[in-house]
């Protein structure tokens, strides 16, 4: 079912929940559940709209959507909780730790070292929890390197 077939509020939510589970697993559901006693409508919109309608569009593969999301959350700053979910999601949809680290390094050029560093430390936490440290990336040898 795609978003054009999901016509009722309940159908859109159910469709979004399937996408959320596929991408974020339990982490996404925990974020939505954390909103139940304060703003359940926001939780509903995250599931139905962000995941059911937007995330499931055919124009970008899930791994590409996650690269965009990592860049945006890094650039915004102050989104460490969401970054943690999306670093996990990035791994779930096929990005390697090295690719995630490279994306965060690239973000330093456009949004600054402090934001890229904060995002990288979030990634380090996730990688540690998943037994993926140390990340096997080494700086490329530059001109004149032995």
């Amino acid at each position: 079912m795609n978003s054009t077939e999901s016509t009722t509020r309940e159908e859109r939510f159910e469709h979004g929940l399937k996408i959320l589970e596929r991408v974020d697993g339990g982490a996404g559901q925990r974020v939505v559940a954390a909103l139940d006693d304060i703003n359940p409508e926001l939780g509903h919109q995250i599931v139905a709209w962000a995941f059911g309608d937007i995330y499931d569009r055919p124009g970008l593969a899930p791994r590409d959507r996650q690269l965009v999301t990592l860049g945006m959350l890094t650039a915004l700053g102050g989104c460490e909780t969401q970054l943690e979910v999306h670093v996990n999601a990035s791994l779930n949809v096929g990005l390697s730790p090295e690719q995630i680290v490279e994306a965060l390094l690239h973000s330093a050029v456009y949004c600054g070292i402090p934001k890229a560093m904060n995002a990288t430390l979030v990634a380090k936490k996730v990688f540690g929890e998943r037994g993926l440290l140390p990340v096997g990336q080494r700086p490329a040898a530059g001109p004149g390197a032995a």
Side-chain angles (χ1 to χ4, degrees):
M1 177 186 306
N2 65 40
S3 61
T4 59
E5 296 169 349
S6 302
T7 57
T8 70
R9 178 179 170 85
E10 191 172 302
E11 288 172 334
R12 288 179 60 236
F13 183 84
E14 289 303 316
H15 174 68
L17 197 56
K18 288 177 189 168
I19 305 305
L20 178 68
E21 289 170 358
R22 185 172 69 220
V23 173
D24 287 338
Q29 289 179 314
R30 285 190 295 278
V31 170
V32 172
L35 298 169
D36 282 349
D37 62 352
I38 182 75
N39 194 342
E41 183 60 24
L42 179 58
H44 176 87
Q45 293 301 324
I46 290 169
V47 173
W49 181 66
F51 281 87
D53 292 345
I54 303 300
Y55 196 96
D56 198 35
R57 292 177 53 82
L60 289 174
R63 67 177 307 282
D64 299 333
R65 289 189 187 280
Q66 285 305 315
L67 281 170
V68 171
T69 302
L70 291 176
M72 295 289 195
L73 292 173
T74 300
L76 285 169
C79 299
E80 286 75 18
T81 301
Q82 291 77 28
L83 261 168
E84 186 173 339
V85 170
H86 285 283
V87 169
N88 271 298
S90 296
L91 293 165
N92 293 345
V93 299
L95 287 169
S96 69
E98 292 80 9
Q99 290 169 321
I100 293 167
V101 168
E102 189 64 29
L104 299 176
L105 175 62
H106 186 76
S107 71
V109 175
Y110 295 95
C111 59
I113 289 173
K115 288 180 179 179
M117 186 174 184
N118 288 346
T120 299
L121 292 174
V122 170
K124 179 180 180 177
K125 177 181 185 272
V126 171
F127 297 162
E129 290 169 351
R130 291 180 72 157
L132 300 173
L133 288 175
V135 174
Q137 184 172 318
R138 299 281 182 254

